Amino acid sequence: MKRASDQRLRRILVIDDNEAIHDDFRKTLSRKSLGPDLDDDEALLFGYQPAETPPTEFEINAASQGHLGLELVEAAMREGRPYQLAFVDMRMPPGWDGVETISRLWEADPALQVVICTAYSDYSWDQIVSKLGTTDQLLILKKPFDDAEVCQLAFAMTEKWLVTQQAGIKMGEMESLVDRRTAELREMALHDMLTGLPNRLFFNDLLARTIALHGRDPRRMFAVLFLDFDRFKIVNDSLGHQIGDKLLISIAARLRGVLRKADFVASMADGTAARVGGDEFLVLLDGMKQQHEAIRVAERLLSVMAEPYEVDDHTIKSTVSIGVTTSALPYASPDEMIRDADTAMYRAKAAGKNRFVVFDSRMHENVLARLAMENDLRLAVDDDQLRLVYQPIVSLESGCVRGFEALVRWQHPTKGVVSPLDFIPLAEEIGMIVAIGEWVLREACLELARWRSLPDLGDLCVSVNLSRKQLVCPNLVERINDIIQQAGLPTSAIKLEITENAIMEDMDHAVTILNQIRDLGIDLHIDDFGTGYSSLSCLHRFPVVGIKIDRSFINNVTDNPDYAAVVNAIVTLAKNLRLGLIAEGVETVDQMSMLRDMGCDLAQGYYFQRPLPSDQALVYAQSQAGMNSGMRLHESNSGASKPSLLH
Ligand code: C2E
Ligand code: MG
Ligand code: MG
């Protein structure tokens, strides 16, 4: 057991008008043996080892009147060496009596322990209590004094003072520890540990308060800016997370710098930045006088954030995309406002990054429409809302149909027919494209198998479009093979079309998959050729049998010589690489004859036929088969047909 007090020197004040009494106290309390004797008694009583510490020593001061005693107590307090105990005589004419003195002493030093010394009872205990209040700091000592009693009181009361004081110190320490920890936890809960910026919780709270203030005073305008770094992921992946972290710290420092120096904002708007995701930051600009101040801050952020960052030995360049929304729109909650800033930020990214976009409410409608569409699309396959239409692919030389391209349509329950241009990108984004792609292939295979069982149509082929997202689907090749087999078709009956951009996204992977598809015996075509960014030098690496010239070239081929030259070059290139050619989107007779003269083999377009529902496509194919053996659809001098791309 540890002693409550290590303090051996204890200060005692004696206030008595009889100075002889002062000496009695000094004598009694200066006995050297006092401490150890008492310590030993305590040891016996409380069971701890006798202390080896030196004996308790008392420093005795004395005063002969209450007010003089008070002066000593006050001085002791000022020096920071307070008395632990005062022995106060009850009667001290002509000055204050004991009770008066004690109440004054406690005003100066509320912790002072007091023993009141009485010869006979001037006051009853009840009277004393009624004057001084109920207290455990006061004991009565009756005259004549007993030495042992004085010693015990002196020791016990000073000890009590020390113990109380130490408990007070401990308590204070505990309280400040609790306060400190609470502050730390609060800091952690509301701040991002890496950058020290406020986090989303903090930001939401601040924004909620700002929205409420704006409700009371609409002249007080504010804005939220959503920042997303354009190249952060690349930095993280290529240089590692440590560098990524350091970059984020520098970004945070710059943000703080820009917002601190918000003096370029005329009205001295208040800026707070928060980190709310990997490389996502929010800025709240509060107290703007005009909405366009937010634009100035966005412009400034764009330029400051785009300056190269020096991290360790690396110079990192990264621009930022910013979405802005302001209190010009009636926001009721932080979530709505952050959501809109986020939407605008995505617009900024989609528009080419390194820019800001200000949110407008139409965007919100678009977002809602998209969400609704997304939900509907998830049901489309299961609810049997997809259809295929078939567009003939025709030989330019003979005018004979050589096959069909299967094109998907979505029969939306309320919106009517939705074009693939409007839902394929969404399906790619939400992953539905895999299910849709399988449905299309299966449906096309089953239809084609029916057609091929009819007279003269035994070698008809169908082309199916393959999305770039299907290329990364792990069991794609196996699935394609299964579906074709299940329909009872030879793999040569199905052609697949893939855009050049889809191949270029991850060329090595794409080439591997395309080789596997080719090895199944399926012909591949590059779709929309000329619109992508494949370099002509890679073309020979792609295991394809033909290319489809994009309709944007065909559109202009007759009235723009530049386009004609490009198409001519593509035709020459295809011939040299022994690739078949299909011209897409042929709409006029002039386009048709020009392409034929250039030496293009096949064509597809409204000039020949629009995409047709399956029953009409079949009728078309049958009429063509009939013509094949006698009449011709288009005047042509050819009897010997060229080797077909599609058969
Ligand atoms: P694509 O594969 O290049 O298909 C050709 C598109 O051109 C079709 O549009 C077709 O209707 C249209 N077209 C044909 N002839 C003409 C013409 O003379 N003039 C004009 N202006 N257009 C013509 P569609 O059916 O709207 O398909 C658009 C795109 O959607 C397709 O382009 C293809 O990339 C994608 N797509 C269509 N169906 C599927 C599918 O089943 N799966 C996948 N992954 N994508 C599909
Ligand atoms: Mg196509
Ligand atoms: Mg195309």
Side-chain angles (χ1 to χ4, degrees), residues 499-519:
T499 63
E500 51 178 334
N501 283 348
I503 302 176
M504 294 310 289
E505 243 167 49
D506 180 354
M507 192 163 84
D508 292 338
H509 175 75
V511 167
T512 309
I513 299 293
L514 296 184
N515 273 320
Q516 292 172 10
I517 293 176
R518 192 224 21 223
D519 292 346

Side-chain angles (χ1 to χ4, degrees), residues 38-97:
L38 285 169
D39 279 352
D40 290 348
D41 292 346
E42 258 186 278
L44 277 176
L45 268 173
F46 302 116
Y48 56 77
Q49 287 301 309
E52 282 158 26
T53 43
T56 304
E57 278 187 45
F58 296 110
E59 182 192 325
I60 316 285
N61 296 139
S64 55
Q65 284 292 302
H67 71 276
L68 297 173
L70 178 62
E71 280 169 18
L72 288 176
V73 166
E74 285 171 342
M77 290 297 281
R78 278 196 300 277
E79 289 162 21
R81 294 180 65 238
Y83 292 98
Q84 278 94 50
L85 172 63
F87 287 94
V88 182
D89 188 19
M90 181 63 93
R91 290 174 63 81
M92 296 179 285
W96 304 329
D97 69 6

Side-chain angles (χ1 to χ4, degrees), residues 365-511:
E365 282 155 29
N366 289 345
V367 169
L368 290 184
R370 204 197 107 112
L371 273 180
M373 179 105 145
E374 203 179 297
N375 281 338
D376 294 349
L377 189 56
R378 290 184 199 280
L379 302 173
V381 176
D382 289 344
D383 286 3
D384 201 21
Q385 294 169 3
L386 298 181
R387 302 278 175 272
L388 286 187
V389 289
Y390 299 86
Q391 186 173 38
I393 299 168
V394 175
S395 160
L396 279 174
E397 207 169 344
S398 68
C400 302
V401 61
R402 291 299 172 82
F404 290 89
E405 177 175 8
L407 296 160
V408 69
R409 300 287 179 264
W410 177 15
Q411 185 67 49
H412 189 278
T414 56
K415 292 196 177 76
V417 178
V418 184
S419 154
L421 296 173
D422 292 330
F423 73 85
I424 294 285
L426 180 61
E428 286 176 338
E429 216 173 292
I430 65 176
M432 278 302 291
I433 190 65
V434 175
I436 292 177
E438 283 204 5
W439 180 88
V440 168
L441 183 62
R442 184 174 299 109
E443 179 67 17
C445 285
L446 294 174
E447 193 64 59
L448 179 63
R450 273 194 293 276
W451 293 347
R452 282 171 68 116
S453 67
L454 299 170
D456 297 330
L457 297 180
D459 52 3
L460 207 59
C461 297
V462 165
S463 298
V464 171
N465 294 286
L466 207 57
S467 150
R468 60 206 179 92
K469 285 284 152 78
Q470 286 174 275
L471 276 188
V472 293
C473 185
N475 54 355
L476 173 74
V477 182
E478 210 181 316
R479 296 293 300 145
I480 291 174
N481 195 30
D482 287 353
I483 291 171
I484 298 175
Q485 303 296 333
Q486 280 162 17
L489 290 173
T491 45
S492 59
I494 293 294
K495 324 279 171 191
L496 293 175
E497 298 184 3
I498 181 108
T499 63
E500 51 178 334
N501 283 348
I503 302 176
M504 294 310 289
E505 243 167 49
D506 180 354
M507 192 163 84
D508 292 338
H509 175 75
V511 167

Side-chain angles (χ1 to χ4, degrees), residues 178-249:
V178 169
D179 287 350
R180 225 175 28 244
R181 284 297 293 156
T182 312
E184 278 168 18
L185 287 173
R186 212 181 125 74
E187 173 84 6
M188 270 165 69
L190 294 176
H191 287 81
D192 163 47
M193 287 292 109
L194 180 67
T195 61
L197 287 179
N199 63 14
R200 186 182 279 273
L201 205 64
F202 185 119
F203 192 87
N204 270 24
D205 189 52
L206 185 65
L207 184 54
R209 277 184 278 137
T210 309
I211 291 173
L213 284 176
H214 176 73
R216 271 173 255 146
D217 176 11
R219 282 166 310 175
R220 181 182 174 152
M221 294 181 226
F222 61 98
V224 169
L225 284 72
F226 201 118
L227 280 73
D228 186 290
F229 280 76
D230 295 329
R231 294 186 65 246
F232 183 73
K233 192 174 149 28
I234 301 174
V235 171
N236 236 357
D237 291 350
S238 57
L239 300 178
H241 286 260
Q242 276 187 350
I243 302 281
D245 283 356
K246 287 185 182 171
L247 176 62
L248 287 171
I249 292 168

